[in-house]
Structures are given as structure tokens and as C-alpha cells.
Amino acid sequence: EVQLVESGGGLVQPGGSLRLSCAASGFTFSSYWMSWVRQAPGKGLEWVANIKQDGSEKYYVDSVKGRFTISRDNAKNSLYLQMNSLRAEDTAVYYCARLSAGYMDVWGKGTTVTVSS
Amino acid sequence: QSALTQPASVSGSPGQSITISCTGTSSDVGSYNLVSWYQQHPGKAPKLMIYEGSKRPSGVSNRFSGSKSGNTASLTISGLQAEDEADYYCCSYAGSSILFGGGTKLTVL
């Protein structure tokens, strides 16, 4: 079964850091671009970042550039999102998604990040 | 990196058809045949319903169809059913980024 499972969410103070993980199974992880997408409480979906199969290309939404870093470990079938200098507006459910030619065909169930003092 | 424009809400009765529009620009929707649509029920992860503008993934009902004209994409749901009540999001590849619409809440009356 093709599956993505996120972990690492939690409560963090403003200015703090958090690292999200996404474990992939059921498909050849190293063959796909991967994405992070977030959804603030009661709001819509927002693309956060993409990473190429070999990690050589990474793209970010403007609001997280310089603060978030997407990475992957193909040997571990894992995707990561290192989040630094967190702000209240980063509070959201973070989804990991498989990217296939511009569309996200497999999604995880999400992990919740709350930034609050 | 502006969001695509969708109506906030649409509604229809069981058996009817509805269409949700998604307006972008010549830099995203108009430039690429890479519009996708996602269905999201409350508390659940999004589910891919349409990709590359008009293609349906395996397992998605043929009641769902997509189209595009210029900078506007559309999702049509025919033969509305109660389980179609959900939020729907359009999405477009835009070169080095991906844009989502603000989402449309579909109410089945």
C-alpha cells in the first residue's frame, strides 16, 4: 500500500524550531519529487516546499524562505522539513505529499504544528 | 505567488450538476496544462480528484470532470450526491512554485 506518514509536530514557542518527518512506503521514493503543504486552522491549503528526487533542486513559498529547509534521505525513504524562527502564522497541519508531474497524488494524514507562547 | 481565485461556496441539490471555477493568470493556469483539483472532507487529508486539467485518477467517479479555458479552470460535478459535500481546491503548477485556490465549500442541499 502506498503510504505517507508524517511525524514531529507539536507545540513550540515563537522563534523556536521543529523538524517534521515523513516516512514513505509502498513506492519507489527516490523516483519522485516530494512536497510539503500546510493548512492553517479554518483556512485553505498552502504549498510550502518541493524537493527533487535527488535533492538537487528545492523550492519554497516566499513566506518560509530562509526559515524552512526541505530535505530527504532516499536510503531511509524519508522526507523532512526543518522549521526555524517559527511564527504564530506557521501554525497549521503540515501534509507531506508525493508530487507527480505537477499534481499531488498521494497525501499523508498530516501532523499539527502549533506556535504559541 | 498569489492564490488562485475560487468562489467561497456553491450549493446544489442531489442529482443536480455544479461547476466550480478557478481563475489564475497567464503565468500559472494559462501557461501549463497542470491544473489539479482536490476534495477535502472535514478533518481529513485532501484527495486528488482531477489532474492535468481533465484526467481522473483510478477510483474517482466519472461524475467529476475538469476543463480549462484560458486562465480559468473548472471542476464540474454531475449527479450530486450527499457524499460530495466537502471543500474543493484547485491547484496549478507555476514554474518553480505551486499555487492553490482559496477553496470552495460545496453544500449538497
Side-chain angles (χ1 to χ4, degrees), chain A residues 39 59 61-62 101 103-104 108, chain B residues 1 34 38 40 45 51 89 96:
Chain A
Q39 186 169 34
Y59 301 100
V61 67
D62 286 347
Y103 57 92
M104 298 163 190
Chain B
Q1 294 181 333
L34 292 174
Y38 302 87
Q40 187 180 36
Y51 67 99
Y89 295 90
S96 60

Side-chain angles (χ1 to χ4, degrees), chain A residues 89-112:
Chain A
E89 53 265 37
D90 296 318
T91 294
V93 175
Y94 284 74
Y95 295 101
C96 161
R98 187 175 81 174
L99 191 60
S100 294
Y103 57 92
M104 298 163 190
D105 61 347
V106 180
W107 295 69
K109 293 184 177 181
T111 186
T112 299

Side-chain angles (χ1 to χ4, degrees), chain A residues 35 46 62 64 76 108:
Chain A
S35 298
E46 180 183 38
D62 286 347
V64 309
K76 295 183 177 180

Side-chain angles (χ1 to χ4, degrees), chain A residues 7-87:
Chain A
S7 61
L11 174 64
V12 60
Q13 292 187 339
S17 297
L18 212 55
R19 189 196 196 205
L20 305 184
S21 298
C22 171
S25 60
F27 65 99
T28 304
F29 179 72
S30 58
S31 295
Y32 289 87
W33 282 74
M34 296 296 295
S35 298
W36 286 100
V37 175
R38 67 184 179 183
Q39 186 169 34
K43 303 297 184 181
L45 301 174
E46 180 183 38
W47 167 75
V48 174
N50 286 345
I51 186 169
K52 193 177 179 180
Q53 290 92 329
D54 62 358
S56 62
E57 294 182 38
K58 304 175 184 181
Y59 301 100
Y60 301 90
V61 67
D62 286 347
S63 59
V64 309
K65 284 179 181 176
R67 300 188 300 122
F68 289 12
T69 301
I70 188 171
S71 63
R72 64 192 297 163
D73 185 336
N74 289 340
K76 295 183 177 180
N77 291 333
S78 293
L79 176 71
Y80 306 101
L81 186 67
Q82 177 67 43
M83 304 186 296
N84 298 331
S85 302
L86 282 161
R87 306 166 179 167

